[in-house]
Amino acid sequence: MKIIVTGGAGFLGSRVVELLLQRLDAGDPPVPFEEIVSLDLAECPVADRRVRSVVGDVASPELLEEEVTDDVVGIYHLAAVLSGGSEENFDLAMRVNVDGTRALLEAARRTGARPRVVFTSSLAVFGGDPPEVVPEEWAEQPDSTYGALKAVGELLVNEYSRRGYVDGRICRLPTISVRPGRPNSAASSFASGIVREPLNGEAAPCPVPHETRMWLSSPRAAVANLVRALEVEGELIGAWRGMNVPGISVTVGEMLEALERIGGAEARALVHDAPDQAVMDIVCSWPGEFEVQRMLELGFVRDRNVDRLIRQYVEDFAPGAGRPAEEHDDAAPAAREA
Amino acid sequence: MKIIVTGGAGFLGSRVVELLLQRLDAGDPPVPFEEIVSLDLAECPVADRRVRSVVGDVASPELLEEEVTDDVVGIYHLAAVLSGGSEENFDLAMRVNVDGTRALLEAARRTGARPRVVFTSSLAVFGGDPPEVVPEEWAEQPDSTYGALKAVGELLVNEYSRRGYVDGRICRLPTISVRPGRPNSAASSFASGIVREPLNGEAAPCPVPHETRMWLSSPRAAVANLVRALEVEGELIGAWRGMNVPGISVTVGEMLEALERIGGAEARALVHDAPDQAVMDIVCSWPGEFEVQRMLELGFVRDRNVDRLIRQYVEDFAPGAGRPAEEHDDAAPAAREA
């Protein structure tokens, strides 16, 4: 029995693969499985004999038909053209984010095995003028191509679930911060950059006003939640499979204050305002907070506060950073708020 | 300059064609045009030299590319697999309702002319447990294939509009009652049948509980609203192009009481309860009332009450029915409620 991870070479995908293997090694896999198949344009970086990398186009129906066989118990669909890229290249976004998702769902349907499908969506599905705290039944009126096509994906995953073709779990992830590495094509990439670059001694532009409220999740909490999404019984989620994954609500100004507390005034001074209308048009239409009580009751987790979020980056990724003893308990499960 | 009507042979489509021609003859077309092209599996029944029927598959990209040329100023996209049919044949519904809509939008985009596109959606996009009166920003969580795929169509029309490829107008129509003719494959077909059949002296099954609340529009009001949707300036609709078209909120029991007032006890006695779980599963998940004040301010109309709705059927369609003088003023524009 196997789990498929599209985007398994990516940042979240490879970490999901790692956590799935850890859970298997601990005798507590979210679903019983023996193998993980990564489908991506690149090799999955996790070196483990139980991981098989299939390098190719994740939107290819032929490839999906070959790999999505009736021994598939779970599918993570993480591969997508991101928000900046989708705005720039509508046709590519349609092909990968819509046609690719549909081809994957069709392949899963044809197995007849009704596998669990974890689909990552985004708070970009919301737009217009959302309330300060967004309830579970707030309309999706996306203001971006990425959001619109993720909303289409949500409807398809939900409908394939309702018809019993798959057992879908739609995870609207918060903005992930702090990501390591270089900026990516997501319009929200700055939400990592304004912390990561200064901590590495580099200058970083801040493209949005400081009062912009962000809905954030550390990589650890996001990965823990993606594994939880595979594990939770479908009946507990309910008929509608959309879920607002917990995050913390923080303004950009509060992020910069936390940066100063942790990295010092010299780190804070490396961030300069550089308003970018294209980024603002996308990011400022996203809600800054969601009702997540039901999700917390379902066993999903969130970070404790923005300082922990930044310290987690320092621990896990910052070059040469030590791992302070008092932070050892800050693993994702402990990050759950009651 | 031409207007394209997919589904132009259908009940609403052919009546939209008629009203468009009437408005042109009166020197007051909703947009300037000279020709109407009906795209449907059958000939448009409107005999007028300005109407051209193209008989074919409305989901065919080749046909759409040929007909949707840069002199198209308006497109009505009414052709769809209905609710009952979509539930029964998922793959056909995907092909016609999703792929067909997308092919039409692509053809419109390629003209570069940014035509106005009126897309008919449905209250079936809503599901779950909606409030008694549904606000404009209530989440679409469809409980049916028809609803899910109409919701996908809405997102596509809106996104193509946001990107400036078309000027979209999404009309979530109420259930149309009273339709003439025979039952169709819509799960809500009974909402016409329980009035129409008894008025024609035939028995009719009632598949849902009498307390089921329906959101109804007469054909006249619906057609007037579809023409208004083409006419209204896009800027007045706002960034989000979804619109809950006005209707009246009536229970099935109230419909039967009105039937008795208009058709007598013998007509009422022809309706018998015949609970149908498949119909209930679909129809009882639809909301029974919507906030429509903004729509009324935009010039959309609704029927005065359920008695007028039934009398309209008697006037327009019932075999041999006279047209009482005092009802002459009940044309669609007069049906607007202040």
Side-chain angles (χ1 to χ4, degrees):
Chain A
M1 290 192 289
K2 67 185 179 188
I3 295 174
I4 288 180
V5 182
T6 78
F11 175 64
L12 284 179
S14 59
R15 277 162 183 80
V16 165
V17 169
E18 281 177 337
L19 184 54
L20 288 171
L21 293 172
Q22 282 172 25
R23 290 281 302 267
L24 184 60
D25 290 337
D28 181 34
V31 293
F33 73 96
E34 289 105 34
E35 188 190 23
I36 298 176
V37 177
S38 162
L39 296 186
D40 206 323
L41 289 171
E43 289 263 335
C44 174
V46 180
D48 190 292
R49 63 183 165 71
R50 295 162 297 184
V51 178
R52 182 162 61 86
S53 265
V54 177
V55 175
D57 176 3
V58 298
S60 153
E62 296 72 31
L63 183 110
L64 291 168
E65 203 157 345
E66 196 170 312
E67 296 300 333
V68 182
T69 45
D70 61 8
D71 58 341
V72 170
V73 290
I75 298 174
Y76 281 95
H77 186 35
L78 308 177
V81 180
L82 301 183
S83 50
S86 293
E87 209 61 28
E88 272 167 33
N89 193 337
F90 178 73
D91 297 300
L92 178 68
M94 285 291 280
R95 196 182 73 75
V96 175
N97 295 12
V98 176
D99 296 332
T101 299
R102 190 162 153 193
L104 180 63
L105 290 168
E106 275 300 309
R109 172 188 177 192
R110 272 193 296 271
T111 66
R114 198 169 168 260
R116 296 185 178 188
V117 175
V118 178
F119 174 69
T120 47
S121 184
S122 159
L123 41 81
V125 298
F126 297 99
D129 191 19
E132 213 163 297
V133 180
V134 175
E136 291 199 320
E137 280 155 327
W138 188 255
E140 300 189 353
Q141 301 185 343
D143 279 335
S144 65
T145 296
Y146 181 68
L149 304 191
K150 279 293 183 187
V152 168
E154 288 194 9
L155 284 161
L156 294 178
V157 170
N158 196 74
E159 178 58 14
Y160 274 73
S161 298
R162 199 190 60 82
R163 292 190 73 101
Y165 300 153
V166 303
D167 183 357
R169 294 101 197 284
I170 298 158
C171 292
R172 278 183 217 122
L173 290 178
T175 296
I176 306 299
S177 172
V178 180
R179 285 175 183 267
R182 304 309 305 166
N184 65 21
S185 83
S188 58
S189 180
F190 76 87
S192 290
I194 60 170
V195 172
R196 181 185 58 222
E197 269 68 290
L199 287 176
N200 296 336
E202 293 171 30
C206 179
V208 301
H210 291 199
E211 59 269 27
T212 305
R213 189 165 280 280
M214 308 286 293
W215 180 241
L216 300 180
S217 171
S218 69
R220 279 192 214 165
V223 169
N225 285 332
L226 287 171
V227 171
R228 178 64 190 155
L230 185 69
E231 184 172 34
V232 70
E233 290 301 321
E235 294 69 42
L236 296 178
I237 304 174
W240 183 258
R241 294 312 182 89
M243 299 187 283
N244 294 324
V245 171
I248 57 173
S249 179
V250 186
T251 65
V252 168
E254 287 165 354
M255 292 177 72
L256 295 177
E257 288 164 21
L259 170 65
E260 183 156 356
R261 280 193 294 275
I262 290 157
E266 62 277 26
R268 169 63 187 86
L270 286 166
V271 181
H272 58 279
D273 289 325
D276 180 331
Q277 196 59 47
V279 171
M280 276 189 268
D281 283 348
I282 297 178
V283 172
C284 296
S285 75
W286 298 348
E289 191 168 359
F290 291 84
E291 276 180 16
V292 292
Q293 192 53 43
R294 198 174 67 89
M295 297 299 299
L296 296 172
E297 286 161 10
L298 284 177
F300 288 78
V301 301
R302 60 177 163 185
D303 303 281
R304 218 162 274 162
N305 55 48
V306 63
D307 286 60
R308 296 299 272 269
L309 198 116
I310 295 180
R311 284 192 199 281
Q312 203 184 100
Y313 168 74
V314 174
E315 276 181 52
D316 289 356
F317 303 111
R323 189 175 173 120
E326 72 271 27
E327 295 291 347
H328 267 168
D329 71 337
D330 201 19
R336 187 191 311 180
E337 304 252 300
Chain B
M1 289 192 289
K2 68 185 178 188
I3 295 174
I4 287 180
V5 182
T6 78
F11 175 65
L12 284 180
S14 60
R15 277 161 183 80
V16 165
V17 169
E18 281 176 337
L19 185 52
L20 288 171
L21 293 172
Q22 282 172 28
R23 289 281 302 268
L24 183 60
D25 289 337
D28 180 35
V31 293
F33 74 97
E34 290 104 35
E35 187 190 24
I36 298 176
V37 178
S38 163
L39 296 186
D40 206 323
L41 289 170
E43 290 262 334
C44 175
V46 181
D48 190 291
R49 62 182 165 72
R50 294 163 297 184
V51 177
R52 182 162 60 86
S53 266
V54 177
V55 175
D57 176 4
V58 297
S60 153
E62 295 73 30
L63 184 113
L64 291 168
E65 203 156 346
E66 197 170 312
E67 296 299 333
V68 182
T69 45
D70 62 8
D71 58 341
V72 170
V73 290
I75 298 174
Y76 281 96
H77 186 35
L78 308 177
V81 180
L82 300 184
S83 50
S86 293
E87 209 61 29
E88 272 167 32
N89 193 337
F90 178 74
D91 297 301
L92 179 68
M94 285 290 281
R95 195 181 74 76
V96 174
N97 295 12
V98 175
D99 296 332
T101 299
R102 188 164 153 194
L104 180 63
L105 290 169
E106 275 300 309
R109 172 189 177 192
R110 273 193 295 271
T111 66
R114 198 169 168 260
R116 296 185 178 188
V117 175
V118 178
F119 174 70
T120 48
S121 184
S122 159
L123 42 81
V125 298
F126 297 99
D129 192 19
E132 215 163 296
V133 180
V134 176
E136 291 198 319
E137 279 155 327
W138 188 255
E140 299 189 354
Q141 300 185 345
D143 278 336
S144 65
T145 296
Y146 181 68
L149 305 192
K150 279 292 183 187
V152 168
E154 287 195 9
L155 284 161
L156 294 178
V157 170
N158 197 74
E159 178 59 14
Y160 275 73
S161 298
R162 200 190 59 83
R163 291 190 72 102
Y165 300 154
V166 303
D167 182 359
R169 293 102 197 283
I170 299 159
C171 292
R172 278 182 216 122
L173 290 178
T175 296
I176 307 299
S177 172
V178 180
R179 284 176 184 266
R182 306 308 306 166
N184 65 22
S185 82
S188 59
S189 180
F190 76 89
S192 291
I194 60 171
V195 173
R196 179 185 59 221
E197 269 68 289
L199 287 176
N200 297 335
E202 293 172 30
C206 178
V208 301
H210 291 199
E211 60 268 26
T212 306
R213 189 163 279 280
M214 308 287 293
W215 180 241
L216 301 180
S217 170
S218 69
R220 280 192 214 165
V223 169
N225 285 331
L226 287 171
V227 171
R228 179 64 191 154
L230 185 69
E231 184 172 32
V232 70
E233 290 300 321
E235 295 68 42
L236 295 178
I237 304 173
W240 183 257
R241 293 312 182 88
M243 300 187 282
N244 293 324
V245 171
I248 57 173
S249 179
V250 186
T251 66
V252 169
E254 289 164 353
M255 293 177 72
L256 295 176
E257 288 165 20
L259 170 65
E260 183 156 358
R261 279 193 295 275
I262 291 157
E266 61 277 27
R268 169 64 186 87
L270 286 166
V271 181
H272 58 279
D273 289 324
D276 182 330
Q277 196 60 48
V279 172
M280 277 190 269
D281 284 348
I282 297 178
V283 173
C284 297
S285 74
W286 298 349
E289 191 169 357
F290 291 84
E291 276 180 17
V292 291
Q293 192 52 43
R294 198 174 68 90
M295 297 298 298
L296 296 172
E297 287 162 9
L298 284 177
F300 289 78
V301 301
R302 61 176 162 185
D303 303 281
R304 216 162 277 162
N305 55 47
V306 64
D307 287 62
R308 297 298 273 268
L309 197 115
I310 295 179
R311 284 192 200 281
Q312 203 183 101
Y313 169 75
V314 174
E315 275 181 53
D316 289 356
F317 304 110
R323 187 174 172 124
E326 72 269 26
E327 295 291 349
H328 267 170
D329 71 337
D330 201 19
R336 186 191 312 180
E337 302 252 299

